[in-house]
């Protein structure tokens, strides 16, 4: 047989990658369907976390540069241009910075306390999506174990379906395949979820530390160069 004919015949008989994936998922039953839903939820949560934790969205370099220019604004004796810039920017750091230089607090300690509370609130909003990954880390292996247990039950049930001819080996092999595939699918969802959850948690912690550092510097410079007086009651 010519090589071209042999390759053509092999392509006709060999299943495609999509068909292999479909066969893998179809044998898992309802447990596999739940694992597919979990994988889609993990992907969605990862995309949401990545979009929210982009540094140039949370801490634009222009905002950091402006906050570090407070001594220059002090030389001009007018902080209002910086306040207007921060108010228009709309990023997380600009909201915190605007609060720090608003002049609503008469002491650094009072300002620090209020900004810390606001920063924790802002960071809590950035955590959306990360807890779902943590849930997937726990749920996916349990679903895989459920599918494995269901497959083992089916396997032992198949021992009595062969009659006098002995166990139905085809049914037993099928149930073993179901059990192992559910285990593989559960780990396939859980392992990337663990890695992504760890990555996004560490990234959020790093951003929180950088924000704290910039805010510390901002409050120090503001109260060093601008005298804040509480308005009379």
């Amino acid at each position: 047989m010519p090589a071209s004919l042999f390759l053509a015949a092999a392509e006709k008989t060999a299943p495609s990658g999509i068909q292999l994936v479909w066969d893998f998922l179809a044998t898992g039953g309802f447990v596999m369907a739940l694992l597919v839903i979990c994988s889609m939820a993990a992907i969605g949560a990862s995309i949401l976390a990545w979009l929210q934790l982009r540094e140039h969205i949370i801490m634009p370099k222009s905002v950091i540069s402006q906050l570090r220019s407070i001594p220059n604004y002090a030389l001009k004796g007018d902080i209002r241009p910086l306040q207007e810039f921060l108010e228009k920017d709309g990023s997380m750091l600009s909201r915190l910075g605007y609060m720090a230089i608003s002049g609503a607090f008469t002491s650094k300690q009072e300002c620090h306390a209020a900004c810390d509370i606001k920063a924790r609130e802002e960071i809590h909003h950035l955590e959306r999506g990360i807890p779902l990954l943590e849930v997937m880390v726990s749920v996916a292996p349990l679903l895989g174990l459920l599918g494995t247990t269901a497959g083992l039950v089916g396997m032992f049930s198949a021992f009595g379906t062969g009659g006098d001819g002995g166990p139905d080996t085809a049914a037993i092999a099928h149930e073993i395949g179901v059990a192992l595939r559910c285990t593989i699918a559960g780990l396939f969802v859980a392992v990337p979820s663990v890695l992504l959850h760890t990555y996004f948690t560490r990234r959020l912690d790093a951003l929180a530390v950088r924000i704290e550092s910039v805010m510390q510097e901002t409050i120090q410079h503001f109260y060093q160069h601008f005298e804040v007086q509480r308005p009379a009651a």
Side-chain angles (χ1 to χ4, degrees):
M1 178 183 293
S4 59
L5 295 178
F6 178 80
L7 292 175
E11 290 177 356
K12 291 182 179 179
T13 56
S16 64
I18 297 177
Q19 184 63 38
L20 290 174
V21 173
W22 172 253
D23 292 341
F24 181 90
L25 298 177
T27 56
F30 76 97
V31 175
M32 190 67 75
L34 293 177
L35 285 170
V36 170
I37 294 174
C38 288
S39 66
M40 295 174 63
I43 293 173
S46 300
I47 294 174
L48 177 61
W50 178 79
L51 291 174
Q52 291 184 146
L53 297 181
R54 290 176 294 174
E55 186 172 347
H56 69 278
I57 298 296
I58 299 173
M59 304 176 59
K61 293 183 179 180
S62 59
V63 175
I64 297 176
S65 176
Q66 288 294 320
L67 289 176
R68 288 176 173 170
S69 299
I70 289 179
N72 296 333
Y73 286 99
L75 293 176
K76 299 177 182 178
D78 189 5
I79 197 67
R80 285 177 298 176
L82 177 57
Q83 293 174 336
E84 293 174 357
F85 171 83
L86 296 176
E87 190 175 10
K88 292 178 181 179
D89 183 77
S91 64
M92 175 181 170
L93 183 60
S94 65
R95 290 193 295 271
L96 294 173
Y98 181 84
M99 184 178 183
I101 66 171
S102 63
F105 312 101
T106 57
S107 66
K108 288 192 296 184
Q109 292 75 15
E110 185 180 352
C111 184
H112 271 299
C115 290
D116 286 343
I117 295 174
K118 181 64 174 178
R120 285 196 295 268
E121 180 182 344
E122 294 280 355
I123 291 174
H124 176 71
H125 289 304
L126 295 178
E127 291 177 349
R128 288 178 299 179
I130 298 179
L132 183 58
L133 288 174
E134 187 176 5
V135 172
M136 293 302 105
V137 170
S138 303
V139 171
L142 293 177
L143 286 175
L145 180 60
L146 176 61
T148 302
T149 305
L152 292 177
V153 171
M155 181 190 70
F156 287 115
S157 300
F159 276 103
T161 60
D164 297 334
D168 187 350
T169 55
I172 293 173
H174 173 74
E175 296 300 334
I176 292 176
V178 171
L180 295 178
R181 290 180 182 187
C182 288
T183 302
I184 293 171
L187 293 176
F188 186 78
V189 176
V191 171
S193 297
V194 171
L195 297 176
L196 290 170
H197 178 266
T198 303
Y199 169 75
F200 287 125
T201 300
R202 295 293 179 87
R203 184 171 179 84
L204 183 61
D205 291 341
L207 288 172
V209 170
R210 290 200 60 193
I211 290 172
E212 182 181 1
S213 175
V214 173
M215 291 302 299
Q216 178 80 18
E217 182 181 353
T218 299
I219 295 173
Q220 177 67 29
H221 285 168
F222 178 73
Y223 281 87
Q224 179 181 355
H225 295 91
F226 291 91
E227 181 179 358
V228 180
Q229 296 181 351
R230 186 183 298 274

